[in-house]
Amino acid sequence: MTADPLGPPLTRRATLSVTLNDVASLANVSPQTVSRAIRNPELVSERTVTRVQWAISTTGYVPNLAASNLASNRSKTIAAIIPTISASVFADALHGLDAVLTPHGYQLFIGATDYSIDREEELIRAFMGRRPDGLFIVGTKHTPAATLLLRKSRIPIVEAWNWTDEPIDNLVGFSNSDAIEAIVEYVVSKGYKHPTFAASLQPGDSRALDRQESFARTVARLLPGEPPRVVDSGTGVIDMDAGVRLLDIALKRHPETDVLMFASDIFAAGALLECRRRGISVPGDLAITGFGDFEISRHLLPTLTTVAVPNVEIGTRAGELLIARMSGIGEESEMVDLGFSVVARESA
Amino acid sequence: MTADPLGPPLTRRATLSVTLNDVASLANVSPQTVSRAIRNPELVSERTVTRVQWAISTTGYVPNLAASNLASNRSKTIAAIIPTISASVFADALHGLDAVLTPHGYQLFIGATDYSIDREEELIRAFMGRRPDGLFIVGTKHTPAATLLLRKSRIPIVEAWNWTDEPIDNLVGFSNSDAIEAIVEYVVSKGYKHPTFAASLQPGDSRALDRQESFARTVARLLPGEPPRVVDSGTGVIDMDAGVRLLDIALKRHPETDVLMFASDIFAAGALLECRRRGISVPGDLAITGFGDFEISRHLLPTLTTVAVPNVEIGTRAGELLIARMSGIGEESEMVDLGFSVVARESA
DNA sequence: GCTCGAAATGTTAGCGCTACTGGTAACGCT
DNA sequence: AGCGTTACCAGTAGCGCTAACATTTCGAGC
């Protein structure tokens, strides 16, 4: 028996949900017209748009963007790759990015590398499978394979935060080295002679490395003969506990320190509060500086001298660049230096 | 002339990128075998897998997940809807969620509602178009239309943070009202008689409202005759400046206050630092409590009495629930109460 | 009424992938 | 030899949508 007595073969399992065709037949128009009524209503007569909208709401239709993506080759999606979600600086940047993209109908895919460029490469690979229309990525140091993937991708890319002279495409950021240089210059101008830099260097965090090297260079230039004192908690964790630990190490190893310069306000805040607890007067016995100008810094007692960095603006500028490129307005890669500013307060 | 002298009509613009078919013909197997070699290598002979992998890397093939999604009706995507990205509590939860999902190959779509349930509905609608395999959403209060969309979605959903007796599907959180009740009980047990609650109530933030109502109930129960003093900065912004403002209002309007109970550690930290600046002794002149047990709270001087809340764990538990449901293990909706704990420190 | 061009709508053919079905080679068993 | 079983692979038919082209409708102008 080759004939099939059981009727037509089972079709594959469909999604069971309302499709464009259902809407079209209810509205008595072609599927194409429904598609147009949704995406370019100005091309469709008002009467038809109304009828289609009625059909959409009575059926509860929700367009399947995967199908749209496949057919149109545009995903209305932006991939964002950051070191970690739970660091406020990156969260702020994402917030800025999201605020710019949302009105244009773009949605954000977010991935965290945990400061590993290998993990970053994996993420890029996975994200490319979703065919984003644009990509935002923190940092300019990638694996060779990742760089290649990005170059070949033919989508607009914004590298953010770090400065470099050879971005893959667009760049939005500021110079970490210049920022450190500026605050070292500031403390030296205030008469401090024995600065110590305190950071938590984690393999892969090139921004932290930049800052440390810049510190050494600037000290060598401004305070000849002075050794470039650096303390490092080594774990890569950025929290107040680490700040306390760094304070301990610095006091023990470099008791001559007159200004302790932290690579993050978080460290500085932890250390400053600990100083008060121990009765170390700030800036009398020891001056302290931070980096980032977090909100806490202007509330601390004494208020914290630090460097303000344009977190949110990095996100918004990046978003604007992406939007411009995706709508075909800008063609050229841009490099945007958003700068920084030394915020002189009481702690140094 | 109806015949076309220009040769075959232009075909639609293809993606120009390497497809499964290219890989298949290079490896001399069928497209289906390539697909299997990627997703279920154990079904394919070792020799073939090797050949396919070679073909993939020489062509630089990156699978198009939109096509995969369309064909398989699974997106390997989770939608996460939170009030705002730049609040550390939600960032922590996302971090936990991401950590659980990544190893299973799921990617996170993130959207911020800015505490508006109308914006939330829009977001849900937009996200449903991507056909996520699961959804994580902060809060249990939604618009009727949003609730309907979620119920009809036929994907596992986790509502988080708030407690409710009627979740849409799964629930992971703790009771805000119980937490406030507990810390009010704590301060009353410590002998304080005139508590004032300080919050920043923003329309739509039902969690804040829960806390405030719970405060009033508990005061009425434990301190009969005592009015439920509440101050509200009204802006909805949660930062240290707002904490200072709340302190001002409370001191002016309710000078009899002996313990000022803030709805967030952020407020409490701002107020506590301001007290020291003004020479108000804490807890001598005024006791202070917070909510959230942020890192700063144990570093402040005096350390802050507060309520610890399981931010990261909310994310991880939600992720585990989603994974279980998506792999078809669990069928039942679950309600997970992660609890909280009063952290007694020096400030009250 | 007729022509003509613009506006509105319809038709066709995929986008790149996977579910499903079925086929073939290799091997063991009676 | 004949049969069934297992392991592997190929062919086919879409998933739901949109690009590209084709066709119809309609109003303006003569």
Side-chain angles (χ1 to χ4, degrees):
Chain A
M1 296 263 283
T2 54
D4 187 353
L6 303 171
L10 286 173
T11 180
R12 72 192 304 175
R13 170 180 44 89
T15 50
L16 306 180
S17 63
V18 185
T19 75
L20 198 75
N21 280 303
D22 301 331
V23 176
S25 50
L26 181 61
N28 254 316
V29 292
S30 74
Q32 182 58 237
T33 299
V34 176
S35 173
R36 267 191 293 253
I38 295 172
R39 300 182 312 134
N40 298 93
E42 72 277 8
L43 296 179
V44 179
S45 75
E46 220 167 298
R47 265 192 58 237
T48 311
V49 171
T50 317
R51 207 165 61 242
V52 168
Q53 265 161 359
W54 165 80
I56 287 177
S57 61
T58 59
T59 54
Y61 171 65
V62 178
N64 184 327
L65 298 185
S68 166
N69 181 358
L70 187 59
S72 69
N73 199 23
R74 281 177 311 111
S75 64
K76 281 289 196 173
T77 278
I78 303 290
I81 297 181
I82 58 175
T84 172
I85 305 179
S86 44
S88 65
V89 288
F90 303 126
D92 285 344
L94 283 184
H95 196 168
L97 185 64
D98 192 44
V100 173
L101 295 177
T102 297
H104 293 265
Y106 287 91
Q107 279 164 29
L108 262 190
F109 247 111
I110 295 177
T113 66
D114 291 318
Y115 293 97
S116 149
I117 58 172
D118 291 326
R119 175 89 192 97
E120 181 188 275
E121 181 185 329
E122 268 178 57
L123 263 178
I124 293 173
R125 212 175 284 279
F127 278 6
M128 284 309 175
R130 311 245 174 227
R131 302 291 191 269
D133 295 336
L135 187 139
F136 171 86
I137 186 165
V138 171
T140 52
K141 189 160 174 299
H142 320 288
T143 65
T147 307
L148 195 68
L149 266 172
L150 294 177
R151 282 198 194 286
K152 284 195 318 182
S153 67
R154 278 175 285 114
I155 56 170
I157 294 173
V158 176
E159 288 170 282
W161 237 274
N162 294 41
W163 196 253
T164 174
D165 292 327
E166 297 178 334
I168 293 177
D169 186 2
N170 300 281
L171 183 67
V172 175
F174 64 93
S175 165
N176 270 285
S177 4
D178 290 358
I180 290 293
E181 187 179 352
I183 192 163
V184 173
E185 281 171 355
Y186 172 78
V187 298
V188 170
S189 81
K190 282 286 179 183
Y192 295 101
K193 300 250 180 302
H194 309 295
T196 296
F197 189 72
S200 184
L201 213 55
Q202 137 159 346
D205 186 350
S206 57
R207 282 168 294 287
L209 196 63
D210 277 356
R211 288 179 208 161
Q212 187 166 315
E213 287 171 354
S214 170
F215 171 79
R217 266 198 312 279
T218 311
V219 167
R221 180 165 63 79
L222 298 179
L223 298 167
E226 190 72 11
R229 277 175 300 264
V230 170
V231 297
D232 179 0
S233 77
T235 59
V237 180
I238 299 181
D239 61 15
M240 294 190 186
D241 287 333
V244 175
R245 230 173 304 128
L246 286 168
L247 174 69
D248 269 338
I249 301 176
L251 290 178
K252 191 176 306 169
R253 204 153 353 164
H254 305 296
E256 72 278 22
T257 301
D258 57 0
V259 54
L260 190 50
M261 311 188 69
F262 288 93
S264 164
D265 276 13
I266 309 274
F267 295 143
L272 196 152
L273 288 163
E274 181 66 14
C275 281
R276 291 189 60 94
R277 181 164 280 121
R278 297 188 189 173
I280 300 171
S281 152
V282 178
D285 300 333
L286 176 71
I288 286 180
T289 67
F291 193 95
D293 193 24
F294 291 20
E295 197 206 1
I296 189 176
S297 307
R298 65 173 185 279
H299 285 272
L300 286 168
L301 195 64
T303 54
L304 183 67
T305 295
T306 184
V307 179
V309 151
N311 299 324
V312 177
E313 209 186 345
I314 286 177
T316 53
R317 286 294 285 132
E320 287 160 10
L321 278 179
L322 288 175
I323 293 285
R325 288 287 296 281
M326 289 182 305
S327 49
I329 297 171
E331 279 303 305
E332 298 294 307
S333 299
E334 284 193 46
M335 295 173 67
V336 181
D337 187 346
L338 291 175
F340 56 84
S341 59
V342 173
V343 183
R345 294 209 186 93
E346 300 161 0
S347 73
Chain B
M1 296 262 284
T2 54
D4 187 352
L6 302 171
L10 286 174
T11 178
R12 71 193 305 175
R13 172 177 46 89
T15 50
L16 306 179
S17 64
V18 184
T19 74
L20 199 74
N21 280 303
D22 302 329
V23 175
S25 51
L26 180 61
N28 255 315
V29 293
S30 75
Q32 182 55 234
T33 300
V34 176
S35 174
R36 266 190 297 252
I38 295 171
R39 301 183 311 134
N40 298 92
E42 71 279 7
L43 297 180
V44 180
S45 74
E46 221 168 296
R47 266 190 58 234
T48 311
V49 171
T50 315
R51 208 162 62 241
V52 168
Q53 265 160 357
W54 164 81
I56 287 176
S57 58
T58 60
T59 53
Y61 171 66
V62 179
N64 184 326
L65 298 185
S68 165
N69 181 358
L70 186 58
S72 69
N73 199 23
R74 281 175 313 112
S75 65
K76 282 290 195 173
T77 279
I78 302 293
I81 296 180
I82 56 174
T84 172
I85 306 178
S86 44
S88 65
V89 288
F90 303 126
D92 284 345
L94 283 185
H95 195 167
L97 184 63
D98 192 45
V100 173
L101 295 177
T102 297
H104 293 265
Y106 286 92
Q107 280 163 29
L108 261 191
F109 247 111
I110 295 176
T113 66
D114 292 319
Y115 292 97
S116 149
I117 59 173
D118 291 325
R119 175 88 192 97
E120 180 187 276
E121 181 185 329
E122 269 178 56
L123 263 178
I124 292 173
R125 213 175 284 280
F127 278 5
M128 284 308 177
R130 310 244 173 228
R131 302 292 193 267
D133 295 336
L135 187 138
F136 172 87
I137 186 166
V138 170
T140 51
K141 190 159 172 301
H142 320 288
T143 65
T147 307
L148 196 67
L149 266 173
L150 295 177
R151 282 197 194 287
K152 284 195 319 184
S153 69
R154 279 176 286 114
I155 56 170
I157 293 172
V158 176
E159 288 170 282
W161 238 274
N162 294 40
W163 196 253
T164 174
D165 292 328
E166 296 178 337
I168 293 176
D169 185 3
N170 300 282
L171 183 68
V172 176
F174 63 94
S175 165
N176 269 286
S177 6
D178 289 357
I180 289 293
E181 186 178 355
I183 192 163
V184 173
E185 281 172 355
Y186 173 78
V187 299
V188 170
S189 81
K190 282 288 180 180
Y192 295 101
K193 300 250 182 302
H194 310 295
T196 297
F197 189 73
S200 183
L201 214 54
Q202 137 159 345
D205 186 351
S206 58
R207 283 168 293 287
L209 196 64
D210 277 356
R211 291 179 207 162
Q212 187 167 315
E213 288 171 353
S214 170
F215 171 80
R217 266 198 313 278
T218 311
V219 167
R221 180 166 62 81
L222 298 179
L223 299 167
E226 190 72 8
R229 278 175 300 265
V230 170
V231 296
D232 181 358
S233 76
T235 61
V237 180
I238 299 180
D239 60 15
M240 293 188 186
D241 287 334
V244 175
R245 229 172 306 129
L246 286 168
L247 174 69
D248 270 338
I249 302 176
L251 289 178
K252 191 177 305 170
R253 201 149 2 159
H254 306 294
E256 74 277 23
T257 301
D258 57 0
V259 55
L260 189 49
M261 310 188 71
F262 288 94
S264 164
D265 276 13
I266 308 274
F267 296 144
L272 196 152
L273 288 163
E274 181 67 14
C275 281
R276 291 190 59 94
R277 180 164 281 121
R278 297 188 188 174
I280 300 171
S281 151
V282 178
D285 300 333
L286 177 71
I288 286 180
T289 67
F291 193 95
D293 193 25
F294 292 18
E295 198 206 1
I296 190 177
S297 307
R298 65 172 185 279
H299 286 271
L300 287 168
L301 195 64
T303 54
L304 183 68
T305 294
T306 184
V307 180
V309 152
N311 298 323
V312 176
E313 207 184 346
I314 285 177
T316 53
R317 285 296 283 131
E320 287 161 8
L321 278 179
L322 287 175
I323 293 284
R325 287 287 294 280
M326 290 183 305
S327 49
I329 297 172
E331 280 303 305
E332 297 295 307
S333 299
E334 285 194 45
M335 296 174 67
V336 181
D337 187 345
L338 291 176
F340 56 84
S341 58
V342 172
V343 183
R345 294 210 186 93
E346 301 160 359
S347 73

